[in-house]
Amino acid sequence: MLRNPLDAAMAGDALSDLLKTVRLTGATFFDIKAQDPWAVCSPAPSSILPKILPGADHLISYHVLTSGRCFARIIGKEAIVVEAGEVVVFTRSDPHIMSSNPDLRADPPPADVLEIASASQKPFHLNYVSGEGSISAGLVCGYLACDALPFNPLLEALPPVIKAGDSKGDAGWLGQFIKLAVSEVAQKRAGSETVLTKLSELMFVDVLRRYVESLPPQQTGWLAGLRDPHLSKALALIHDRPAHNWTIESLARESALSRTVLAERFTRLIGIPPMHYLAKWRMQIASELLSTGNSNIASIAADIGYESEAAFSRAFKKMIGVPPSAWRLGVRAASGSGSDEAPETEGEPRNELID
């Protein structure tokens, strides 16, 4: 689970808070050595998720090219070139193929290979080299799992594919990750699985940072909001103190903006009004506490700013589609149920955000 590494690297910011709350966790499954021609197809997310983070509903795939050159493509889409020293991340884990030629096809690995891989010491080694042929590409491939529901604005802000790195050598964290990953795979030292898991989580953070820095000035969305110093402050305040009795005025004051400017800029860049965001963030925290902790519902209600269990339960069911007790048991709302709306909270009693 991505706790201490992120806390040390990015303490106190909205991205760190989000990644902790949606339970981002990594796993490295495959070390691949290949000889031309070769092609590898991604397995179905449903076959991987239960092995990484039981109960999670979103899978992210990544491939680090440690040597050679290859092509990466979502099935039905255009291929992109990946050079040694680069990483390609499929943020929605769409069915994709890594190959020596962009036109090659491949089938997903059989179920028994995934079972053996998940039960063995990671990374699991796959050899696509025949006879005395030379290795044309080396990859470290793995996965990250997280919660998409009830509220993960990061996932909505990411494109399906992100490529990062520097084929000519990268002195930054991503370059160090690739060097360490190669070393861990080659030396097979005790604890390599844990080291690679944590490295993959930090690698993803660095990929996100690079993506944010590359966004054009006119870009909107949650990640674009992180670049705005005032909105970044507002998001951090909401994340750090979700139980606080926030109003537009108090949030604007602490973000060094006027009430009107904060409301307009937040809604334009983030996509929803600040108080709506607060309501959804509170429910995201509550859903994690319900799924992973032993606190009773009244305690959870108090932790996110509700003065009564009844008010919290009504709000949770209205937004999520099922009562808190059902969510704790693993019941999820049917598609289309629940409400994605939350009214502004000004003038309303504290904690009655969406009643």
Side-chain angles (χ1 to χ4, degrees), residues 1-320:
M1 190 84 51
L2 193 54
R3 299 290 179 179
N4 292 335
L6 254 183
D7 290 342
M10 303 176 65
D13 66 89
L15 180 57
S16 299
D17 291 333
L18 177 66
L19 293 178
K20 287 183 290 184
T21 304
V22 299
R23 302 191 299 153
L24 180 79
T25 190
T28 302
F29 274 99
F30 302 111
D31 166 40
I32 298 175
K33 296 293 184 289
Q35 177 188 58
D36 293 346
W38 63 273
V40 181
C41 185
S42 62
S46 59
S47 64
I48 299 294
L49 271 172
K51 299 174 176 60
I52 303 178
L53 188 60
D57 51 20
H58 189 83
L59 188 71
I60 298 167
S61 307
Y62 68 87
H63 306 275
V64 178
L65 193 65
T66 57
S67 64
R69 183 175 185 265
C70 72
F71 293 87
R73 64 181 174 91
I74 294 175
I75 294 176
K77 303 293 184 180
E78 186 176 350
I80 59 174
V81 178
V82 185
E83 306 280 356
E86 295 181 326
V87 57
V88 60
V89 180
F90 293 89
T91 63
R92 300 167 193 168
S93 211
D94 293 312
H96 59 275
I97 293 176
M98 305 292 293
S99 62
S100 58
N101 184 296
D103 297 322
L104 291 177
R105 298 182 179 183
D107 294 321
D112 58 342
V113 171
L114 297 177
E115 290 298 327
I116 295 171
S118 62
S120 66
Q121 182 178 2
K122 301 180 184 69
F124 184 70
H125 300 276
L126 292 177
N127 190 350
Y128 288 86
V129 178
S130 60
E132 299 298 323
S134 60
I135 296 173
S136 57
L139 301 94
V140 175
C141 306
Y143 305 91
L144 297 129
C146 67
D147 297 320
L149 300 173
F151 181 52
N152 188 333
L154 171 63
L155 297 180
E156 299 176 3
L158 293 175
V161 184
I162 302 175
K163 186 178 76 167
D166 184 356
S167 60
K168 298 180 176 59
D170 191 334
W173 165 248
L174 190 56
Q176 295 302 314
F177 162 76
I178 293 172
K179 292 176 183 177
L180 287 169
V182 172
S183 175
E184 288 295 330
V185 168
Q187 297 181 25
K188 303 177 183 178
R189 299 167 61 191
S192 287
E193 178 182 346
T194 299
V195 170
L196 285 168
T197 294
K198 295 303 179 184
L199 284 174
S200 68
E201 294 166 358
L202 288 171
M203 176 273 296
F204 183 62
V205 174
D206 196 52
V207 169
L208 291 179
R209 285 170 165 172
R210 291 164 182 258
Y211 178 70
V212 170
E213 291 167 358
S214 71
L215 291 175
Q218 69 273 18
Q219 183 77 28
T220 60
W222 190 80
L223 286 171
L226 295 183
R227 294 192 311 183
D228 184 296
H230 300 285
L231 294 192
S232 180
K233 176 65 173 177
L235 288 168
L237 288 167
I238 289 172
H239 285 213
D240 288 344
R241 290 186 277 163
H244 184 72
N245 187 21
W246 291 112
T247 63
I248 289 287
E249 283 81 1
S250 61
L251 192 62
R253 183 169 56 252
E254 296 206 34
S255 303
L257 289 174
S258 71
R259 174 192 185 283
T260 302
V261 171
L262 174 65
E264 185 278 329
R265 190 182 299 181
F266 197 105
T267 303
R268 175 170 52 84
L269 281 178
I270 307 299
I272 56 177
M275 295 298 102
H276 190 168
Y277 187 96
L278 171 62
K280 293 170 77 71
W281 180 246
R282 285 176 169 179
M283 294 309 158
Q284 175 58 43
I285 294 174
S287 70
E288 187 206 10
L289 294 173
L290 289 165
S291 298
T292 63
N294 297 317
S295 300
N296 60 45
I297 294 177
S299 296
I300 293 173
D303 287 343
I304 65 168
Y306 282 81
E307 292 178 345
S308 73
E309 179 180 341
F312 163 66
S313 295
R314 290 195 303 272
F316 190 93
K317 184 176 181 181
K318 182 175 182 180
M319 181 175 288
I320 309 305

